[in-house]
């Protein structure tokens, strides 16, 4: 191993030019840590929120950010028995807890690390760690979605939505989702039973029609704003709403109160258990990560720009970063 590595460093809070490629020191490996050669990472909304300055109190600069890793163990601490040198692994680094994934190597506490699914590549695996753990927390732990229940997933063609649709179907639920008209066939291919045009301001009436006035048992919000505010109107009695979006405005919860609804706001905590459960589903063919674009590490700023533009650029699923290579694969506008 060398003492230094290439990494993308956030120099300032701001635009897409805020990053710089640098040679930085590789951290020492503790007794319960592993050093991973990073093959791939991915971009999340949390990444561009950090870059533009939404979390300045939590991210001292300069910083290496990023929240998805798929790679190979190259070194392990004296007390690590779970993995061997050469094992393929995937995980999310500690959020706001140290260096992130925009680098050639990463040192992680072994408790965060899981065995990578055998039937997907590193780009796909890196696209699953943060969103997969978040969706598991939302649907399994918080909403406790049950067989034959109905769920409304906002933003079904996005990085989170594509995984949520597949997990909800694997759990035996009926899935209603919102998506652009050009993505209706795509989200149905993931398992959505019904699709509502995302441009419709009246998704509440559409849900009422699809459920014969009963509403849905669970709403999974990936958008926030007015979408979150009005989601209570789509819930059935004793329904549950789970949101992964910062609350930027006060919520009028009178409709939720009248339905005895439960609200959950998720800032996910990663661990091996969630990823092991996802690995099982991936290897059984029940979940397939959707990679909508790939760029090399040196073009992280461009990847941020692409994700922020989202569906307007024809993006479906996640933007992955090829750390070990130079792959470029951009979406075709829909």
């Amino acid at each position: 191993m060398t003492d230094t590595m290439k990494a993308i460093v956030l120099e300032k809070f701001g635009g897409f030019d805020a990053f710089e490629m640098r040679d930085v020191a590789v951290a020492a490996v503790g007794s319960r840590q592993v050093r991973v050669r990073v093959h791939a990472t991915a971009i999340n909304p949390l990444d561009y929120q950090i870059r533009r300055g939404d979390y300045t109190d939590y991210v001292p600069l300069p910083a290496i950010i990023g929240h998805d890793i798929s790679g190979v163990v190259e070194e392990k601490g004296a007390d690590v028995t779970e993995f061997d040198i050469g094992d393929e692994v995937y995980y999310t680094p500690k959020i706001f807890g140290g260096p992130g994934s925009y680098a050639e190597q990463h040192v992680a506490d072994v408790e965060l690390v899981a065995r990578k699914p055998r039937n997907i590549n590193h780009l796909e695996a890196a696209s699953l760690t943060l969103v997969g753990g978040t969706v598991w927390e939302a649907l399994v732990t918080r909403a406790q979605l049950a067989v034959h229940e109905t769920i409304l997933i906002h933003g079904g063609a996005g990085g989170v939505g594509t995984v949520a649709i597949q997990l909800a179907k694997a759990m035996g639920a009926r899935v209603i989702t919102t998506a652009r008209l050009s993505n209706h066939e795509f989200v149905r291919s993931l398992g959505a039973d019904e699709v509502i045009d995302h441009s419709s301001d009246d998704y509440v009436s559409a849900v009422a029609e699809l459920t014969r006035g009963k509403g849905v048992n669970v709403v999974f919000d990936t958008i926030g704003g007015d979408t979150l505010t009005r989601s209570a109107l789509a819930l059935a009695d004793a329904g549950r709403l789970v949101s992964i979006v910062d609350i930027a405005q006060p919520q009028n919860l009178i409709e939720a109160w009248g339905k005895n609804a439960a609200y959950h706001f998720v800032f996910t905590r990663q661990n091996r258990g969630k990823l092991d459960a996802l690995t099982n589903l991936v290897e059984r063919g029940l979940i397939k990560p959707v990679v909508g674009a790939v760029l090399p590490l040196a073009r992280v700023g461009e990847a941020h720009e692409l994700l922020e533009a989202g569906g307007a650029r024809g993006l479906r699923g996640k933007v992955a970063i090829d750390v070990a290579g130079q792959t470029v694969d951009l979406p075709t506008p829909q």
Side-chain angles (χ1 to χ4, degrees), residues 31-47:
S31 63
R32 287 287 293 162
Q33 292 184 316
V34 292
R35 178 175 58 81
V36 173
R37 173 68 62 177
V38 181
H39 283 235
T41 183
I43 312 297
N44 297 278
L46 178 60
D47 297 11

Side-chain angles (χ1 to χ4, degrees), residues 102-140:
Y102 295 180
E104 293 178 325
Q105 300 183 56
H106 188 267
V107 174
D109 295 343
V110 72
E111 287 78 13
L112 296 176
V113 179
R115 178 180 63 81
K116 174 186 146 307
R118 296 185 181 93
N119 59 331
I120 59 175
N121 61 38
H122 286 293
L123 292 167
E124 292 171 316
S127 297
L128 185 61
T129 63
L130 182 60
V131 299
T134 299
V135 170
W136 187 272
E137 172 79 14
L139 302 193
V140 178

Side-chain angles (χ1 to χ4, degrees), residues 230-251:
R230 300 186 67 241
S231 285
L233 299 171
L235 283 172
D237 188 56
R240 292 91 73 197
L241 184 148
V242 186
S243 179
I244 60 170
V245 180
D246 288 348
I247 307 173
Q249 63 190 55
Q251 297 296 304

Side-chain angles (χ1 to χ4, degrees), residues 12-326:
K12 60 186 178 182
F13 296 115
F16 307 123
D17 62 346
F19 297 107
E20 179 180 306
M21 179 81 82
R22 279 195 196 175
D23 290 317
V24 302
V26 179
V29 177
S31 63
R32 287 287 293 162
Q33 292 184 316
V34 292
R35 178 175 58 81
V36 173
R37 173 68 62 177
V38 181
H39 283 235
T41 183
I43 312 297
N44 297 278
L46 178 60
D47 297 11
Y48 65 67
Q49 290 163 4
I50 291 173
R51 187 210 74 232
R52 69 192 184 193
D54 292 7
Y55 298 99
T56 55
D57 292 342
Y58 299 93
V59 184
L61 298 182
I64 301 171
I65 67 171
H67 302 92
D68 297 290
I69 286 175
S70 184
V72 176
V73 175
E74 288 196 335
E75 183 182 354
K76 64 177 188 173
D79 297 327
V80 173
T81 58
E82 296 91 334
F83 300 100
D84 292 317
I85 307 303
D87 283 352
E88 293 188 328
V89 295
Y90 74 147
Y91 61 97
T92 290
K94 288 181 180 177
I95 298 174
F96 304 138
S101 60
Y102 295 180
E104 293 178 325
Q105 300 183 56
H106 188 267
V107 174
D109 295 343
V110 72
E111 287 78 13
L112 296 176
V113 179
R115 178 180 63 81
K116 174 186 146 307
R118 296 185 181 93
N119 59 331
I120 59 175
N121 61 38
H122 286 293
L123 292 167
E124 292 171 316
S127 297
L128 185 61
T129 63
L130 182 60
V131 299
T134 299
V135 170
W136 187 272
E137 172 79 14
L139 302 193
V140 178
T141 307
R142 302 295 188 90
Q144 298 181 18
L145 182 65
V147 175
H148 302 313
E149 285 193 317
T150 301
I151 182 172
L152 170 63
I153 297 170
H154 289 297
V160 176
T162 53
V163 176
I165 290 171
Q166 295 177 78
L167 179 58
K169 288 306 293 183
M171 296 172 72
R174 178 192 180 195
V175 176
I176 302 171
T177 192
T178 62
R180 293 172 181 269
L181 185 60
S182 59
N183 286 328
H184 282 203
E185 183 178 347
F186 167 66
V187 294
R188 287 184 186 277
S189 74
L190 298 176
D193 296 289
E194 308 287 350
V195 189
I196 300 170
D197 192 335
H198 92 298
S199 65
S200 172
D201 292 330
D202 200 13
Y203 70 84
V204 174
S205 295
V207 166
E209 182 177 350
L210 291 170
T211 62
R212 298 182 179 180
K214 294 180 180 179
V216 296
N217 305 103
V218 175
V219 172
F220 183 39
D221 169 46
T222 68
I223 297 174
D226 290 340
T227 299
L228 172 60
T229 302
R230 300 186 67 241
S231 285
L233 299 171
L235 283 172
D237 188 56
R240 292 91 73 197
L241 184 148
V242 186
S243 179
I244 60 170
V245 180
D246 288 348
I247 307 173
Q249 63 190 55
Q251 297 296 304
N252 179 3
L253 299 181
I254 189 66
E255 293 88 357
W257 176 72
K259 294 182 178 181
N260 285 318
Y263 272 51
H264 301 270
F265 297 94
V266 173
F267 185 87
T268 188
R269 298 289 190 267
Q270 296 300 315
N271 58 56
R272 186 187 305 141
K274 294 177 187 176
L275 291 177
D276 284 345
L278 288 166
T279 293
N280 180 36
L281 293 174
V282 171
E283 292 185 340
R284 290 168 57 195
L286 297 174
I287 290 179
K288 174 76 169 175
V290 177
V291 178
V294 183
L295 285 163
L297 185 62
R299 294 170 66 175
V300 159
E302 185 178 341
H304 275 233
E305 184 177 13
L306 176 59
L307 182 61
E308 287 194 63
R313 293 278 298 274
L315 180 66
R316 294 171 172 173
K318 294 278 295 208
V319 179
I321 300 296
D322 184 0
V323 177
Q326 296 294 321

